[in-house]
């Protein structure tokens, strides 16, 4: 059985005993949790502990990765002891949770929690610039993201809150006037539909392109 998760504020290994250690995991919503494990615990046990925290059953689509000493992303080998991998290869004991395997169609995902994690992964990859889109597609995707994150348009008296919301890839150098115009288009896109996050995932699966 995986060890339980404990939220802590520390940013380093907490060695509880010779047989235990604590590692941090950054989730797709950017929250960081900590997991107390045995030094013999495998990557799979850590993944299952994270899945338990997220109420996620379809764990076979997901994995854990870390930055190597050369700053390269490296997936955890789930069947092997986790601590040995971190001690030997990792730049720091910080893990990242993410989608490892994609399905041809999002309808194959049976659990709502799975679809939500897929949505968070797609959204993150769009905003990080790993999944490229035109400005027109970006407006469409931003409208879907606002719908998924905040609900229907008519719940808000104004759309001013969108100015504080990250809508477009961070590597786009947009002038303030252009950003304001695009934000207004996102507001109109948000107003035009009542849909769920699967649409965003479906679009992404049909046009996935890593840098």
């Amino acid at each position: 059985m995986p060890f339980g998760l404990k939220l802590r504020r520390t940013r380093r290994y907490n060695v509880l005993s010779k047989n235990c250690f604590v590692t941090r995991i950054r989730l797709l919503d950017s929250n960081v949790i900590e997991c107390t494990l045995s030094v013999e615990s495998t990557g799979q046990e850590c993944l299952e502990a994270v899945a338990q925290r997220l109420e996620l059953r379809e764990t076979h689509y997901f994995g854990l990765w870390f930055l190597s000493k050369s700053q390269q992303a490296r997936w955890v080998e789930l069947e092997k002891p986790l601590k040995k991998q971190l001690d030997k290869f990792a730049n720091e004991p910080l893990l990242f949770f993410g989608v490892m395997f994609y399905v041809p169609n999002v309808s194959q995902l049976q659990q709502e929690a799975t679809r939500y994690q897929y949505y968070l992964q797609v959204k993150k990859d769009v905003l990080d610039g790993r999944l490229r889109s035109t400005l027109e597609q970006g407006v469409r995707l931003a409208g879907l993201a606002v719908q998924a994150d905040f609900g229907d348009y008519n719940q808000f008296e104004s759309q001013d809150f969108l100015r504080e919301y990250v809508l477009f890839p961070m590597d786009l150098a947009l002038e303030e006037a252009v950003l304001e115009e695009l934000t207004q288009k996102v507001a109109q896109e948000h107003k035009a539909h009542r849909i769920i996050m699967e649409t965003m995932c479906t679009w992404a699966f049909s046009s996935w392109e890593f840098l």
Side-chain angles (χ1 to χ4, degrees), residues 85-191:
Q85 295 180 67
L86 294 178
D87 288 346
K88 185 174 182 180
F89 302 113
N91 183 54
E92 60 173 324
L94 174 65
L95 294 170
F96 298 85
F97 171 80
V99 176
M100 191 173 187
F101 300 107
Y102 289 88
V103 294
N105 192 310
V106 72
S107 64
Q108 292 180 235
L109 305 177
Q110 299 180 3
Q111 192 185 6
E112 179 68 20
T114 307
R115 292 191 289 272
Y116 180 62
Q117 295 301 320
Y118 264 62
Y119 159 71
L120 290 177
Q121 180 73 75
V122 171
K123 177 183 173 183
K124 176 176 173 56
D125 287 341
V126 169
L127 294 180
D128 288 350
R130 296 184 67 215
L131 181 56
R132 294 296 190 183
S133 65
T134 64
L135 279 179
E136 181 180 354
Q137 290 172 327
V139 169
R140 172 73 170 159
L141 290 173
L144 295 176
V146 173
Q147 174 74 22
D149 291 345
F150 297 102
D152 292 339
Y153 179 93
N154 58 13
Q155 294 186 38
F156 302 92
E157 293 184 2
S158 88
Q159 298 293 293
D160 290 345
F161 74 95
L162 293 179
R163 295 183 177 89
E164 306 299 323
Y165 185 63
V166 179
L167 298 171
F168 301 103
M170 290 179 284
D171 61 350
L172 288 181
L174 298 175
E175 296 181 358
E176 185 174 348
V178 174
L179 182 59
E180 177 65 23
E181 179 184 356
L182 292 175
T183 300
Q184 291 304 314
K185 289 183 178 181
V186 171
Q188 291 302 310
E189 184 70 32
H190 182 205
K191 184 178 181 179

Side-chain angles (χ1 to χ4, degrees), residues 191-210:
K191 184 178 181 179
H193 55 70
R194 294 183 179 183
I195 58 177
I196 51 180
M197 63 191 68
E198 282 89 335
T199 304
M200 187 176 183
C201 292
T202 299
W203 175 88
F205 294 166
S206 66
S207 57
W208 195 265
E209 182 180 357
F210 291 101

